[in-house]
Amino acid sequence: SYADYTSVHVTFDAPGTDTVIVRNLDMGILSLMGAITDATTGTPIPEVRVEITDVKENLRSVVNDMTDASGEIRKRISDRSPGDTLVYRVSLKKKGYLPKKGLFLFTVQHMTEIDMREVMEKDFFQLQPIEIGVELGQAISVNPIYFDLGKWNIRPDAAAELDKVVTVMNDNPSMEIELGSHTDSRGSDKANRALSDKRAKSSAAYIMSKGIARERIKGKGYGESKLLNACDNSSGCTEEEHQQNRRTEFIITKM
């Protein structure tokens, strides 16, 4: 029975970013169970590859299996004792869906059993289908890509974010994307478009340097032509409002 247990809250981020909120958990025999569904339709997803490894034991495999026809997977672990701290890396992968990866951390206190579907954030078990028009950067939590003032070379912090896109494109070899660079309204329209175009093409070139075929990634600068708010040349917007417009987007154009 799963009637009585203490709640745990764990946050999972996109590939390359592990965010953890830790709570003590009363348990002994751990039942790793989850029902994985489509984030758009809510229907169960069979044959999702679920990989869980133990970080404290040199990434020893704990689970490496596929969800069943009901989108479920279950693994019982009985070799733990009260006081043990478990640190697991968890990844979910299926062709046609954006992958998820995160760190699951909790401490065993008492002998009990737990259903992960009842204690983890529900959206971890919801996979986003990869569709034409989806903004890939938001879906996999690519952080803002910054450039030095007036420049377009790829800084190390930007490279780390672009590597997330490379990972997803490698996992989905039919995916093609347009990388669009946008600026705020300050400065001339012509200068903004030229600088953003150089930054977009530089970012696309970096992705190609990682083995992605040229025809799968196109870079285009839009300058200030697609502002997300009313911060045009005549406005008196705050720096935070201008920042909303300085962005890089990765739009899926083909699957």
Side-chain angles (χ1 to χ4, degrees):
S1 171
Y2 302 103
D4 298 306
Y5 43 76
T6 300
S7 179
V8 61
H9 182 77
V10 180
T11 299
F12 289 83
D13 276 344
T17 59
D18 294 334
T19 302
V20 186
I21 301 174
V22 184
R23 298 289 185 273
N24 286 333
L25 177 65
D26 291 339
M27 56 174 288
I29 299 176
L30 173 65
S31 179
L32 297 176
M33 179 186 290
I36 301 174
T37 59
D38 186 299
T40 301
T41 65
T43 56
I45 309 176
E47 298 184 349
V48 176
R49 172 63 62 181
V50 180
E51 297 180 359
I52 303 178
T53 56
D54 192 322
V55 174
K56 295 177 67 177
E57 297 184 7
N58 297 316
L59 298 181
R60 174 181 64 85
S61 177
V62 177
V63 175
N64 188 352
D65 207 348
M66 309 283 274
T67 55
D68 61 20
S70 299
E72 294 189 358
I73 192 164
R74 178 170 182 166
K75 173 70 174 182
R76 292 176 64 107
I77 302 172
S78 57
D79 59 344
R80 295 295 183 235
S81 302
D84 287 349
T85 298
L86 308 183
V87 186
Y88 290 155
R89 288 195 181 278
V90 183
S91 71
L92 307 178
K93 291 183 179 180
K94 181 177 174 65
K95 184 177 180 180
Y97 288 86
L98 294 173
K100 284 196 173 181
K101 182 173 68 173
L103 194 66
F104 184 34
L105 171 64
F106 53 82
T107 300
V108 179
Q109 289 190 333
H110 302 293
M111 301 299 289
T112 186
E113 193 170 56
I114 190 69
D115 182 343
M116 292 177 69
R117 294 176 299 183
E118 299 294 332
V119 298
M120 293 173 62
E121 288 189 344
K122 293 182 179 179
D123 62 0
F124 178 72
F125 294 101
Q126 298 172 359
L127 296 187
Q128 175 67 47
I130 299 175
E131 301 171 324
I132 293 175
V134 167
E135 207 289 279
L136 183 62
Q138 290 185 3
I140 63 174
S141 299
V142 173
N143 294 316
I145 296 173
Y146 295 110
F147 297 86
D148 293 328
L149 182 63
K151 298 184 182 298
W152 53 90
N153 57 294
I154 302 300
R155 302 181 345 184
D157 56 338
E161 300 306 316
L162 293 173
D163 285 341
K164 299 176 186 179
V165 178
V166 172
T167 297
V168 175
M169 295 188 76
N170 280 330
D171 289 340
N172 298 272
S174 63
M175 177 189 291
E176 296 181 12
I177 67 174
E178 179 190 274
L179 189 158
S181 179
H182 303 263
T183 71
D184 60 38
S185 62
R186 293 173 294 188
S188 73
D189 293 0
K190 182 178 180 180
N192 282 337
R193 185 178 293 274
L195 181 59
S196 66
D197 197 60
K198 290 177 181 177
R199 288 175 171 177
K201 287 179 167 55
S202 176
S203 299
Y206 175 86
I207 290 175
M208 287 185 281
S209 76
K210 297 298 181 177
I212 300 300
R214 180 180 298 273
E215 60 269 19
R216 295 182 60 202
I217 173 76
K218 294 179 175 61
K220 183 175 181 180
Y222 289 91
E224 58 185 271
S225 66
K226 293 190 176 184
L227 299 176
L228 296 178
N229 51 34
C231 295
D232 58 19
N233 292 330
S234 62
S235 67
C237 289
T238 65
E239 181 60 34
E240 289 73 19
E241 290 171 324
H242 281 300
Q243 177 61 56
Q244 294 177 25
N245 294 313
R246 298 196 302 270
R247 67 198 189 276
T248 300
E249 296 177 334
F250 306 86
I251 306 298
I252 299 174
T253 58
K254 185 177 180 180
M255 279 299 301

